[in-house]
């Protein structure tokens, strides 16, 4: 049984060089809590809009599924958190995991009692599965700590992926990927021509871009007025 796992943050490039002038705009904390899945993204969006910058988008997901061959009985399971890649319906009988992700998810801290979004691969290693990670072309793997279990890690060379997959798991990773990319995520999900099973509720998150644009204009106006006042004193 071969399992293909795809984390949608694979398609959301972020700066890798800490000296990149854009890097501070992506200095985001990541926790899978309601605040970090939703509300925090308004503040992060404003950081771009106040500077007159477009919001970063998911890229390169079109045509991705065409790289793979699937068994006739294959199903696609999906969720927001990658922790559910080790869900009982997904993990049963899996002997190899092939992960497309910006992170290896094979342990960065002491393990908890249950699989988490950053260590679920460790649990597959414990059941004897072979682990492979393909990083996106924009990702610098050297920035990641070493995994705590053996994992084959390479940059994705593109093109067809060898072998047949009997099961697929897709996660949105809403703490890493913003709500303004939700339309792309659901289009990507729909593009997979496989029966689909939701392991948790995954809905489009509310995001008022027009309201944020108005707010950014008001904030910018306030800043200009303050600068002019400072010049008078």
């Amino acid at each position: 049984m071969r399992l293909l796992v795809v984390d949608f943050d694979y398609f959301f490039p972020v700066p890798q060089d800490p000296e990149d002038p854009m890097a501070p705009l992506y200095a985001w904390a990541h926790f899978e809590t309601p605040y970090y899945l939703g509300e925090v993204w308004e503040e992060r969006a404003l950081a771009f809009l106040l500077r007159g910058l477009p919001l970063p988008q998911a890229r390169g997901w079109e045509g991705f599924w065409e790289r793979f061959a699937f068994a006739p009985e294959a199903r696609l399971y999906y969720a927001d958190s990658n922790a559910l890649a080790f869900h009982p319906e997904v993990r049963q009988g899996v002997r190899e995991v092939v992960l497309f992700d910006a992170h290896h998810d094979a342990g960065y801290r002491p393990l908890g009692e249950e699989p988490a979004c950053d260590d679920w691969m460790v649990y597959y290693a414990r059941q004897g599965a072979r682990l492979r990670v393909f990083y996106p072309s924009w990702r610098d793997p050297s920035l990641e700590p070493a995994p705590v279990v053996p994992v084959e890690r390479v940059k994705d060379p593109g093109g067809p992926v060898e072998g047949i997959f009997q099961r697929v798991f897709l996660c949105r990773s809403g703490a890493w990927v913003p709500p303004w990319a939700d339309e792309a995520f659901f289009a990507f999900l729909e593009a997979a021509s496989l029966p689909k099973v939701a392991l948790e509720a995954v809905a489009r998150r509310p995001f008022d871009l027009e309201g944020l644009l108005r707010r950014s204009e008001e904030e910018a106006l306030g800043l200009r007025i303050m600068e002019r006042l400072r010049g008078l004193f």
Side-chain angles (χ1 to χ4, degrees):
M1 179 73 70
R2 300 180 77 222
L3 169 65
L4 170 65
V5 179
V6 183
D7 188 323
F8 199 62
D9 74 4
Y10 177 95
F11 304 106
F12 191 76
V14 300
Q16 299 295 286
D17 183 353
E19 300 302 319
D20 188 321
M22 294 290 288
L25 294 179
Y26 294 84
W28 299 333
H30 303 100
F31 303 98
E32 290 189 324
T33 65
Y35 173 73
Y36 283 98
L37 289 169
E39 184 181 349
V40 72
W41 290 109
E42 291 190 2
E43 177 184 339
R44 293 170 176 176
L46 278 172
F48 287 88
L49 299 177
L50 285 170
R51 293 166 173 80
L53 300 170
L55 297 181
Q57 302 294 332
R59 303 201 307 259
W61 56 267
E62 299 90 343
F64 180 82
W65 299 117
E66 298 169 10
R67 300 174 57 187
F68 305 92
F70 301 108
E73 71 279 9
R75 287 188 175 189
L76 185 154
Y77 297 84
Y78 67 97
D80 193 86
S81 174
N82 223 357
L84 272 72
F86 199 69
H87 187 279
E89 290 186 44
V90 180
R91 69 177 183 249
Q92 184 177 6
V94 170
R95 305 305 298 169
E96 180 181 9
V97 180
V98 179
L99 170 64
F100 285 76
D101 197 336
H103 313 91
H104 61 61
D105 290 357
Y108 304 90
R109 55 187 172 81
L111 296 183
E113 294 183 2
E114 298 290 337
C117 63
D118 58 357
D119 61 18
W120 59 271
M121 287 273 270
V122 177
Y123 293 81
Y124 273 108
R126 287 178 172 178
Q127 73 176 33
R130 177 190 179 192
L131 307 179
R132 303 173 66 192
V133 176
F134 288 95
Y135 289 103
S137 60
W138 56 264
R139 179 62 160 148
D140 181 357
S142 69
L143 297 178
E144 283 218 282
V148 301
V149 293
V151 182
E152 179 185 343
R153 298 188 293 159
V154 297
K155 278 200 176 186
D156 183 2
V161 177
E162 64 179 12
I164 296 175
F165 292 90
Q166 289 79 27
R167 202 168 291 155
V168 181
F169 176 81
L170 168 66
C171 74
R172 178 173 62 178
S173 283
W176 282 258
V177 181
W180 61 83
D182 278 0
E183 288 301 321
F185 170 78
F186 284 104
F188 180 62
L189 172 64
E190 184 62 27
S193 56
L194 294 169
K196 300 172 180 67
V197 179
L199 296 177
E200 64 178 347
V202 185
R204 288 169 173 80
R205 293 165 288 176
F207 182 73
D208 183 9
L209 178 57
E210 293 301 319
L212 284 175
L213 286 169
R214 289 193 298 271
R215 182 177 164 190
S216 69
E217 291 171 358
E218 293 168 359
E219 294 280 356
L221 176 60
L223 289 172
R224 288 196 296 271
I225 292 172
M226 289 179 62
E227 288 298 322
R228 290 171 184 170
L229 291 174
R230 287 195 188 102
L232 297 176
F233 298 96

